[in-house]
Amino acid sequence: MSIPTSTYRLQFRGDVTFDRAVELVPHLKGLGVSHLYASPIFTATKGSTHGYDVIDANEIDPAIGGRDGFDRLVASLQKAGLGLIIDIVPNHMAASLENTWWRDVLRRGRHSSYAEHFDIDWSMKLTLPQLGKPVDEVLASGELQLVYDPAEDLVKLAYFDNRLPLSDDSSHHVLTETGGDTEKLRAFSMDSQRMKRLLSKQHWQLFHWKDAARHLNYRRFFEVTGLVGIRVEDNRVFEDTHRLTVELVRSGQVQGLRIDHIDGLADPKTYLERLRQAVGTETYIVVEKILSRGETLPSAWPVSGTTGYEFISAMAELFVAGDGLQKMGAAYAAIGGEHADFGAGMRAAKLLMIRRNFACETARLVGLIQSICPELADNDISSALHELLVAFPVYRTYGYAGPLTEQDETVLDAALEQARAKLPATTVLGLIGRLLRGEIEGKPAFEFRTRFQQLSGPIMAKAAEDTLFYRYNRLIATNEVGGEPDKAPGGVAVFHQMMADRRKHQPRGLSTTSTHDTKRGEDARARLYTLWECPEAWTEGVERWRELNKAFRSDLTDGPAPEPNVEWMLYQALAGLWPEDFEQSCTAELRTRFLAYAEKAIREAKLRTDWAKEGPDYENAVLGYAKALVSLDNQDFLRDFQQTLSPFVELGYLNSLSQTLIKLTAPGIPDIYQGAEGLDFSLVDPDNRRPIDYRAFSPTQVDETFTTELRVGSLKRHIITSVLRHRNEHPQLFLEGHYLPLAVVGRRQENLVAFARTHGEQTAITIASRLMKERGTVSSGEARSDFWEDTAVTIPSRLGGRMRDLLTGKTVDVGNVLASSVLSDHSVSFLVTDA
């Protein structure tokens, strides 16, 4: 199998085309990455900013260069000796009129050749939540107009820019009555009764987009109605959606695949087995899968691992100071109020998803149980189902045609036990447990099992990542995909155990610290980790800033805006984004980015405003407050914030360098997100997909004119290029090498983490600083010379005699290596044998 030594994630769309990627190939080669890791390249909806809204999985998108551009990129990569991994989307397609399959389904209904390609409940008409108001109001206002399309000789229904195909019988009927004459079509359109009769004869029904959660009859990606689930478990659908993917792999142009949202599929195991058979054993495959603490990938899946979100959780274990928990927690409890209770918040967020955002999916499950046991009361079924979904501790289980695995049995048993504690005596939970174990036969039972498992993941994701993580703001750096921000950090011991487990279960999975889905860039997160190192300085600062900015708060009828919990969040978000020289860097672009984040954060929280129901007064008040925080007129606050933040910025730089080296050398395949070869202080999407200025990464001699930020960014790239070069020269050391935690002794032992990778006579040792609140200057990444005192790393003699620091060129002898001897130049050290 072609295993990468490292990957570089590039987000195509916008200004990133294949030809632009060709220009970047020398840069990627210089970094030392082995594979370009591309976002979806297949044809997506017009103007797509991400490519996950695919309309044709068998065409390379002309918007980014088409097949010719793709071929040029592949030729350039191969000439440079680099491989290519592409991101494929088997779970869904765009429910768009640009999608010829979808358009055919609208025209022909269940008689379409593609009716079974999409996951549609054909017991009713296909529901289309595309109207801006109820259908009667739309008809009364004349917004629905019949138009003749001479190219297809069909009459279509126009709603603003959309042209919905009528059924063939309806189109023929209207053509017969109007002859396609524009005026006659307009007259027909203005007759609401005739239009109602016409609409009633379609294979679809239109309704207000705000009613989608209650009336939708097709599976969607999470709650995005514009992305319709596809039935890739069907052999024909698999072949129709993977034809070009398989061709690209078999031709040798693509060496690896990233599988998007594997948890959305009905039967992930069978899908992956079919894919593996189609692309062969030499193709590298990873899946986008969120693993909770202690959870492992199903061992039967023929993949190399995940896309690496769990590695971010390991960084939080290492860099968040456990002794700051009590002080920061107490301060946040006073400010956050009810939102400081994570458990109660998770329950509330899940119930919101179940009862509102995924009401139609939940109702479908209730209906399936009723069809199996008609004697059960609707309320009893709903209560049991809701409690079980709330209790589910992981995204999903994977039962399909057979029994559950031991891991899934354990998950289900724990969830059932927790749900029972919330309910009076009931037999419904027992029934649901039997259904999920596959102990009841029949089509409704099979469908229930499948759809429950497809629903539990979206409920978990939307409740945690896209709701609770914007409500529970104790330390927003830990509010990451797959994170558990309520848990106390475990420190070095837990980190070592996580890495040992990683080497055992997925040594070839990706290790990431930034992606297009993370809530903030890796270096913003590294900076925010440090808040718990000096909790008093931060909490006292927040008190001052709230007082300084109280004039910008608004008193609304439902309370102050922003409320204290949102203020706490905004100051952290601003700290993560804060440039070293704010007055020079506070451009209109930076202010726009911060305000966009603030708006998204309060809408995702779904408390006083929402994507579905905006609260304009509240939003204006919060955005006005956020705008004041980045106004150059607010000098008293800006000076205080800059002064208070300065130590955290310096500590964050040290974390950034340590995090980088650890990712590059720990078990797993290091993945570098676009632009993160420099310092990445980006916010949540779409901010993390903004254009990258690669000119800033041009090799330049660092001198005294460089700011600290530029110096640290340069050092970060030096670490990346040095270590990746070593990985390329010694691939087996990192792919198959053992992971050995190294003991640290002395006064500062808690301020270091060290481990060795060994393979035969080859050894590489990582030494990285952590929790450095008592350090000295970091202007070039170093600590004060006397800081380390007697602190030493114990390197067993069996690992070799003399070693060389790959970052500085210094040599050291094994044994008790003094930290001061290897960390005098930098805050990290990478020791290697020359064998």
Side-chain angles (χ1 to χ4, degrees):
M1 182 181 293
S2 173
I3 304 296
T5 59
S6 58
T7 61
Y8 187 95
R9 171 74 177 201
L10 194 61
Q11 296 293 121
F12 285 94
R13 313 289 153 185
D15 67 339
V16 182
T17 63
F18 292 131
D19 286 338
R20 175 61 178 135
V22 168
E23 296 173 358
L24 295 176
V25 168
H27 173 69
L28 303 184
K29 181 70 173 178
L31 279 179
V33 298
S34 67
H35 286 66
L36 173 62
Y37 168 27
S39 67
I41 62 172
F42 301 120
T43 301
T45 57
K46 185 178 180 180
S48 173
T49 59
H50 48 74
Y52 289 98
D53 44 355
V54 176
I55 61 172
D56 188 344
N58 294 305
E59 179 184 60
I60 296 177
D61 203 334
I64 56 175
R67 185 59 185 262
D68 288 344
F70 175 78
D71 290 343
R72 287 193 297 273
L73 173 59
V74 169
S76 179
L77 290 169
Q78 292 180 346
K79 184 178 180 180
L82 304 182
L84 177 61
I85 299 168
I86 62 171
D87 192 341
I88 64 172
V89 191
N91 176 71
H92 55 267
M93 295 182 75
S96 165
L97 293 171
E98 298 175 62
N99 184 338
T100 56
W101 295 358
W102 185 250
R103 205 162 59 241
D104 193 76
V105 169
L106 266 59
R107 178 179 174 183
R108 297 185 170 89
R110 68 184 63 194
H111 303 295
S112 167
S113 299
Y114 305 104
E116 299 302 319
H117 280 53
F118 300 106
D119 198 347
I120 300 169
D121 176 8
W122 283 113
S123 66
M124 62 185 80
K125 290 184 176 183
L126 175 60
T127 52
L128 300 179
Q130 296 187 354
L131 302 180
K133 50 192 173 185
V135 65
D136 286 345
E137 294 181 26
V138 171
L139 285 171
S141 63
E143 292 175 11
L144 291 176
Q145 291 288 315
L146 295 171
V147 295
Y148 175 62
D149 182 348
E152 297 186 60
D153 193 27
L154 293 172
V155 174
K156 297 181 179 179
L157 184 68
Y159 181 62
F160 295 102
D161 293 334
N162 292 316
R163 299 290 185 271
L164 282 76
L166 301 177
S167 67
D168 286 347
D169 287 345
S170 293
S171 178
H172 177 73
H173 169 72
V174 175
L175 269 178
T176 300
E177 284 201 22
T178 65
D181 178 76
T182 300
E183 291 303 318
K184 291 181 179 180
L185 287 171
R186 183 177 293 114
F188 194 125
S189 303
M190 298 308 295
D191 186 332
S192 61
Q193 293 305 311
R194 293 176 78 189
M195 288 292 285
K196 282 185 180 180
R197 288 194 294 272
L198 180 69
L199 291 177
S200 71
K201 295 177 181 178
Q202 303 315 305
H203 300 294
W204 39 261
Q205 55 181 329
L206 290 166
F207 61 92
H208 193 189
W209 69 268
K210 289 187 176 182
D211 294 329
R214 292 185 291 114
H215 298 303
L216 208 65
N217 74 324
Y218 60 83
R219 183 173 62 84
R220 51 193 168 154
F221 170 70
F222 289 177
E223 55 180 339
V224 183
T225 57
L227 297 175
V228 55
I230 53 177
R231 300 181 59 255
V232 76
E233 64 271 18
D234 183 292
N235 282 334
R236 186 166 71 99
V237 178
F238 176 90
E239 291 170 2
D240 285 350
T241 54
H242 288 70
R243 192 171 298 115
L244 181 54
T245 295
V246 173
E247 176 196 322
L248 296 177
V249 172
R250 290 180 177 176
S251 70
Q253 291 185 295
V254 169
Q255 290 74 45
L257 301 172
R258 178 225 194 233
I259 314 303
D260 182 64
H261 191 43
I262 191 70
D263 277 352
L265 307 189
D267 184 9
K269 176 176 176 288
T270 301
Y271 167 79
L272 291 169
E273 290 171 343
R274 187 175 292 144
L275 180 66
R276 175 60 72 192
Q277 183 177 14
V279 300
T281 58
E282 293 303 305
T283 305
Y284 178 72
I285 301 177
V286 290
V287 294
E288 184 197 28
K289 162 66 187 169
I290 314 302
L291 294 173
S292 298
R293 186 179 297 205
E295 184 184 12
T296 59
L297 270 184
S299 58
W301 289 6
V303 300
S304 290
T306 72
T307 53
Y309 295 127
E310 64 279 355
F311 193 82
I312 298 175
S313 298
M315 295 295 94
E317 298 285 355
L318 192 59
F319 292 113
V320 176
D323 57 6
L325 173 63
Q326 186 174 358
K327 292 177 181 178
M328 188 73 96
Y332 178 60
I335 279 186
E338 63 179 329
H339 303 301
D341 186 334
F342 186 87
M346 179 64 85
R347 176 177 176 80
K350 280 193 170 185
L351 286 173
L352 177 66
M353 294 301 106
I354 292 165
R355 294 169 177 168
R356 190 191 76 171
N357 297 52
F358 293 98
C360 60
E361 289 87 348
T362 307
R364 187 169 182 179
L365 292 177
V366 171
L368 287 168
I369 292 180
Q370 286 178 322
S371 70
I372 296 166
C373 295
E375 70 277 8
L376 294 176
D378 178 88
N379 287 342
D380 291 343
I381 297 172
S382 295
S383 296
L385 187 61
H386 291 187
E387 289 298 342
L388 186 59
L389 286 166
V390 168
F392 238 69
V394 298
Y395 277 66
R396 63 166 289 178
T397 53
Y398 297 96
Y400 193 68
L404 294 177
T405 64
E406 183 178 349
Q407 177 172 269
D408 284 350
E409 278 281 3
T410 301
V411 167
L412 180 57
D413 287 345
L416 287 168
E417 182 177 355
Q418 185 176 329
R420 286 191 186 98
K422 291 286 185 180
L423 292 169
T426 177
T427 60
V428 182
L429 276 174
L431 172 65
I432 295 176
R434 293 180 61 206
L435 287 166
L436 293 177
R437 291 187 177 97
E439 296 172 356
I440 298 177
E441 296 183 352
K443 186 176 179 180
F446 181 81
E447 183 179 354
F448 176 88
R449 188 188 199 193
T450 301
R451 296 202 178 281
F452 180 96
Q453 294 176 127
Q454 288 177 301
L455 178 60
S456 61
I459 286 175
M460 172 73 89
K462 297 302 293 184
E465 297 159 26
D466 293 341
T467 303
L468 182 59
F469 285 5
Y470 291 95
R471 296 178 176 183
Y472 180 82
N473 297 314
R474 184 173 69 172
L475 180 63
I476 62 175
T478 58
N479 292 6
E480 271 299 350
V481 180
E484 296 180 319
D486 61 319
K487 299 291 193 298
V492 173
V494 169
F495 168 77
H496 282 318
Q497 186 59 56
M498 293 177 77
M499 292 303 101
D501 292 343
R502 190 166 184 78
R503 183 192 175 276
K504 178 181 179 182
H505 295 294
Q506 51 162 329
R508 298 178 177 186
L510 293 182
S511 298
T512 191
T513 42
S514 288
T515 76
H516 61 288
D517 280 329
T518 46
K519 302 300 183 188
R520 63 202 73 253
E522 61 191 52
D523 300 298
R525 197 182 313 115
R527 177 186 293 173
L528 293 177
Y529 288 151
T530 70
L531 301 187
W532 279 28
E533 292 187 51
C534 308
E536 297 94 343
W538 180 257
T539 56
E540 290 169 6
V542 172
E543 289 181 15
R544 292 194 307 275
W545 305 328
R546 293 185 64 220
E547 180 65 23
L548 285 169
N549 293 313
K550 66 181 180 180
F552 304 116
R553 282 195 296 269
S554 300
D555 291 320
L556 304 182
T557 56
D558 61 344
E563 55 270 49
N565 186 45
V566 172
E567 289 180 282
W568 180 277
M569 176 271 293
L570 288 174
Y571 289 124
Q572 288 186 72
L574 183 59
L577 178 69
W578 192 265
E580 188 172 310
D581 188 336
F582 181 80
E583 292 207 8
Q584 286 190 11
S585 305
C586 185
T587 60
E589 180 195 20
L590 185 141
R591 291 192 292 271
T592 298
R593 290 170 57 204
F594 182 61
L595 294 181
Y597 171 82
E599 180 183 69
K600 178 167 183 173
I602 57 177
R603 287 186 179 180
E604 293 283 23
K606 305 173 185 68
L607 293 170
R608 299 169 69 182
T609 188
D610 199 338
W611 297 107
K613 187 177 181 181
E614 297 171 15
D617 291 342
Y618 176 70
E619 288 192 3
N620 289 336
V622 174
L623 295 181
Y625 186 90
K627 186 176 181 180
L629 300 188
V630 288
S631 170
L632 293 177
D633 294 331
N634 195 359
Q635 281 297 310
D636 288 344
F637 163 70
L638 294 179
R639 280 193 296 267
D640 191 320
F641 195 76
Q642 174 89 39
Q643 183 176 358
T644 304
L645 192 61
S646 181
F648 296 111
V649 169
E650 295 199 348
L651 289 171
Y653 288 149
L654 298 178
N655 278 355
S656 291
L657 299 176
S658 293
Q659 177 176 254
T660 299
L661 179 60
I662 290 168
K663 179 176 73 171
L664 297 172
T665 58
I669 309 299
D671 172 45
I672 300 169
Y673 184 67
Q674 62 177 27
E677 62 268 48
L679 293 174
D680 178 12
F681 299 111
S682 59
L683 297 161
V684 72
D685 74 284
D687 189 67
N688 56 20
R689 288 186 269 113
R690 69 190 190 282
I692 306 300
D693 182 6
Y694 284 92
R695 295 171 300 177
F697 304 146
S698 300
T700 305
Q701 185 67 38
V702 176
D703 58 37
E704 64 278 1
T705 65
F706 272 49
T707 64
T708 304
E709 184 173 325
L710 290 174
R711 287 171 180 266
V712 176
S714 178
L715 180 53
K716 183 181 180 182
R717 284 188 295 282
H718 172 61
I719 293 171
I720 291 171
T721 56
S722 300
V723 177
L724 291 188
R725 189 180 307 117
H726 195 73
R727 286 188 69 107
N728 291 335
E729 293 168 353
H730 305 279
Q732 298 312 308
L733 172 61
F734 297 96
L735 291 176
E736 299 180 6
H738 296 289
Y739 178 85
L740 176 65
L742 296 179
V744 181
V745 296
R747 183 179 175 191
R748 305 291 189 185
Q749 60 182 288
E750 293 301 316
N751 301 117
L752 282 184
V753 60
F755 58 84
R757 305 300 308 278
T758 65
H759 184 261
E761 295 185 358
Q762 297 177 11
T763 299
I765 292 175
T766 293
I767 303 172
S769 63
R770 60 186 289 269
L771 309 184
M772 296 283 286
K773 66 180 180 181
E774 296 180 38
R775 91 290 169 256
T777 177
V778 296
S779 59
S780 59
E782 77 275 6
R784 199 174 61 236
S785 60
D786 61 346
F787 172 77
W788 295 109
E789 300 183 9
D790 62 340
T791 308
V793 178
T794 302
I795 303 177
S797 58
R798 61 185 170 83
L799 297 186
R802 175 156 290 198
M803 305 190 77
R804 175 172 55 91
D805 189 331
L806 199 65
L807 305 179
T808 65
K810 291 182 179 179
T811 58
V812 298
D813 294 319
V814 299
N816 276 3
V817 177
L818 287 173
S820 58
S821 68
V822 291
L823 301 179
S824 58
D825 295 311
H826 304 312
S827 59
V828 295
S829 176
F830 184 54
L831 305 177
V832 301
T833 54
D834 288 321

